[in-house]
Amino acid sequence: MTPSLDSSILVAGIGNIFLGDDGFGVEVIRRLSARSLPVSMMVFQDFGIRSVDLVYALHTPWKAVILVDAYAHGETPGHLQVLHITPDDIPTSAPVMDGHSLNPLIVLSMAKQQARTLPPVYLVGCQPLTFGPEEGSMELSAPVEAAIEQACDLVINLGYQLAQNE
């Protein structure tokens, strides 16, 4: 039996692989896609910097959404943090979208402005060390690279918790 999308959890990797640790979310999705998980639990997608694609994906009636991204939160590089993003956290003013980056709050704001009731949204964020030199870098820093497998486990555990909540 194929699950309905409203019982599925979207796990969206965000980031620019050409900007060092900003590629964190994309790498987590790459590694998660190699793991064996129940189909009904999660749908993994690498959105990279495609803001509009993520806005459209949020039109689907997901049970929940887990965003995975490099997120500067003042901790040591590689530190992981899970945030529950409530509707009150999402700005209501008309945001300006940048075609070369993906800001989760701007994407959520655009989806909300389109009269879309959003499912519960969580951010699994990793404190970056660097976004690479001016010319770019396709490598994660050592502390962020070391956090990838732990982040995968964190996403899976959060997904199981959300899938079990009715």
Side-chain angles (χ1 to χ4, degrees):
M1 178 170 103
T2 304
S4 64
L5 286 176
D6 61 357
S7 67
S8 294
I9 296 167
L10 172 64
V11 180
I14 299 170
N16 187 333
I17 62 167
F18 298 107
L19 295 178
D21 290 344
D22 197 40
F24 168 78
V26 174
E27 181 61 19
V28 169
I29 295 304
R30 187 184 74 72
R31 299 234 190 131
L32 281 170
S33 65
R35 293 191 181 190
S36 195
L37 297 169
V39 175
S40 64
M41 191 178 95
M42 293 186 233
V43 175
F44 300 113
Q45 191 159 358
D46 162 15
F47 284 92
I49 59 171
R50 298 182 332 265
S51 300
V52 175
D53 290 343
L54 182 53
V55 170
Y56 287 128
L58 292 171
H59 286 247
T60 301
W62 302 103
K63 179 178 182 85
V65 173
I66 301 172
L67 304 174
V68 185
D69 196 10
Y71 164 65
H73 52 274
E75 296 290 336
T76 59
H79 182 269
L80 299 171
Q81 181 173 9
V82 177
L83 296 175
H84 178 207
I85 300 172
T86 68
D88 291 339
D89 296 327
I90 301 169
T92 56
S93 60
V96 176
M97 192 175 296
D98 178 353
H100 299 286
S101 67
L102 193 158
N103 179 315
L105 285 179
I106 290 175
V107 168
L108 294 170
S109 177
M110 290 185 70
K112 185 177 174 181
Q113 286 175 18
Q114 295 171 359
R116 172 78 180 105
T117 302
L118 295 174
V121 177
Y122 295 84
L123 171 67
V124 173
C126 181
Q127 174 69 43
L129 174 65
T130 179
F131 291 117
E134 190 173 308
E135 66 275 6
S137 170
M138 291 184 65
E139 293 182 12
L140 298 174
S141 67
V144 170
E145 176 67 39
I148 296 287
E149 290 302 320
Q150 183 184 357
C152 290
D153 293 340
L154 187 61
V155 168
I156 291 168
N157 290 334
L158 178 59
Y160 276 122
Q161 290 172 3
L162 295 171
Q164 292 176 357
N165 291 340
E166 293 300 324

